[in-house]
Amino acid sequence: MPPFLMAAFAWLMITPIPSQAVVCYEPSPSVIAGDNIFDYKTAEPLSATEQRNLQAFLKKVDRRWQGDARRVTCVGSENNARQIERRTSLNMDVDGDYRRDMTFRSEIYNPERKSRYSEKFSLYQVDGFLRMDSRGSDGDIEVMHIGANELIYLQRYFVRKVEPAKPEEEKPEPPAIIQPLPILPIQPLPSIQPVDEVITQPVQRIRPGDDRKRISRSTKDIPEEEIEYSPGGILNEVVRHLVINGRNLQIETTVYANGFLASSEKWQLR
């Protein structure tokens, strides 16, 4: 295991994850290890022992799971960070094929918003490498630890910031063609009939600011704030930690954006 992965794995092992004590904007394992997160990393092939442990681990998770999840998202600035928590329930099917590739399909229900959505990721074993979501080298991931009951790996991907489209140049409109109006015969005006007297009510004086319409909104409907990073884009580091304990499976996914913690989600399955 490369020195960087050893340092990152040691950092994960001393971090208390059972209570999911999320510290917003704390540095990623790569930064703590003194690594440059923007450097290209070459994937390391698995050793024979790691391949055997991986087979044993994947064999244990190859079934249907259900449980609940807790997600914590960091919003606001680094000096004024706050956490948004979301709790969901989920069902997950883990299916392996004849090549021992594993697909994790999850159906997640959010009781607060009464909404459902799905998530999926796949793990492939190709030519001695462990890859995610792609059988090619573009799916390379950094394996931090593989045991008979535990798997930890790091996935990196860069999200380039999309520039807003430039407004189209306004084209001059063609000159309007004026058509002559038809000549109509002049009609005499009808006589004006008197109307009943209109009684007006005095208008109540309005204080400054009272004429503005006020709309009260629930804080639940306010969209989550987006974290602002470098204008060029965001380098995401996703650490996924899977642990089997008897008939229970725990999956913790921690996302670091440009080297700082942005969100963490823990699934408790059985």
Side-chain angles (χ1 to χ4, degrees):
M1 182 183 294
F4 152 68
L5 293 182
M6 293 179 62
F9 175 65
W11 179 86
L12 285 174
M13 291 300 97
I14 64 176
T15 302
I17 64 172
S19 60
Q20 197 177 6
V22 177
V23 181
C24 289
Y25 308 123
E26 72 175 353
S28 70
S30 318
V31 174
I32 291 177
D35 191 60
N36 186 348
I37 62 174
F38 295 98
D39 284 347
Y40 177 77
K41 303 294 186 304
T42 302
E44 296 286 338
L46 304 179
S47 65
T49 301
E50 288 176 328
Q51 293 187 44
R52 288 193 298 269
N53 287 337
L54 180 62
Q55 292 299 327
F57 177 83
L58 294 179
K59 185 176 180 181
K60 293 177 182 178
V61 300
D62 189 0
R63 66 179 182 87
R64 183 174 178 81
W65 303 84
Q66 63 180 7
D68 49 51
R70 174 177 177 258
R71 178 183 177 87
V72 176
T73 305
C74 299
V75 298
S77 64
E78 183 178 357
N79 296 328
N80 188 25
R82 60 188 180 89
Q83 299 180 359
I84 295 178
E85 182 177 321
R86 182 187 69 188
R87 293 185 179 271
T88 55
S89 58
L90 59 104
N91 294 315
M92 183 177 72
D93 288 312
V94 183
D95 298 317
D97 63 10
Y98 69 96
R99 295 175 296 192
R100 298 178 181 178
D101 301 334
M102 308 299 293
T103 300
F104 297 72
R105 295 184 180 87
S106 303
E107 293 294 330
I108 303 169
Y109 175 68
N110 187 330
E112 183 178 355
R113 298 183 179 180
K114 293 182 173 55
S115 61
R116 296 182 183 274
Y117 59 95
S118 59
E119 292 185 4
K120 186 183 88 166
F121 66 92
S122 300
L123 294 176
Y124 303 98
Q125 301 174 70
V126 183
D127 300 328
F129 290 87
L130 178 62
R131 291 169 175 158
M132 179 177 174
D133 294 336
S134 172
R135 296 182 60 84
S137 58
D138 56 328
D140 286 348
I141 56 179
E142 298 176 48
V143 177
M144 304 172 71
H145 176 69
I146 296 179
N149 295 309
E150 186 174 29
L151 171 62
I152 308 175
Y153 62 87
L154 169 63
Q155 177 193 21
R156 297 169 183 257
Y157 61 93
F158 190 79
V159 180
R160 203 169 290 280
K161 190 173 183 179
V162 180
E163 296 183 0
K166 296 181 180 180
E168 297 182 0
E169 297 182 0
E170 296 185 0
K171 298 180 180 180
E173 296 182 359
I177 301 175
I178 303 176
Q179 299 290 343
L181 295 175
I183 300 175
L184 299 176
I186 299 176
Q187 299 292 337
L189 294 175
S191 59
I192 300 175
Q193 301 296 329
V195 296
D196 296 333
E197 182 180 359
V198 178
I199 301 176
T200 59
Q201 299 292 336
V203 179
Q204 184 179 3
R205 295 185 62 185
I206 302 177
R207 293 177 298 176
D210 288 349
D211 56 339
R212 294 192 298 266
K213 187 176 181 181
R214 299 177 180 176
I215 303 177
S216 61
R217 297 179 60 188
S218 171
T219 55
K220 296 180 181 179
D221 297 331
I222 300 176
E224 297 181 1
E225 303 174 36
E226 295 291 340
I227 307 172
E228 295 184 1
Y229 296 100
S230 63
I234 301 174
L235 189 281
N236 286 330
E237 295 176 278
V238 182
V239 178
R240 191 167 269 123
H241 189 173
L242 299 85
V243 180
I244 296 176
N245 184 9
R247 297 289 294 175
N248 297 322
L249 171 64
Q250 175 180 291
I251 301 178
E252 182 171 14
T253 305
T254 308
V255 180
Y256 299 88
N258 286 352
F260 298 96
L261 190 146
S263 68
S264 180
E265 184 168 10
K266 181 181 290 185
W267 295 1
Q268 300 284 2
L269 304 165
R270 53 197 172 275

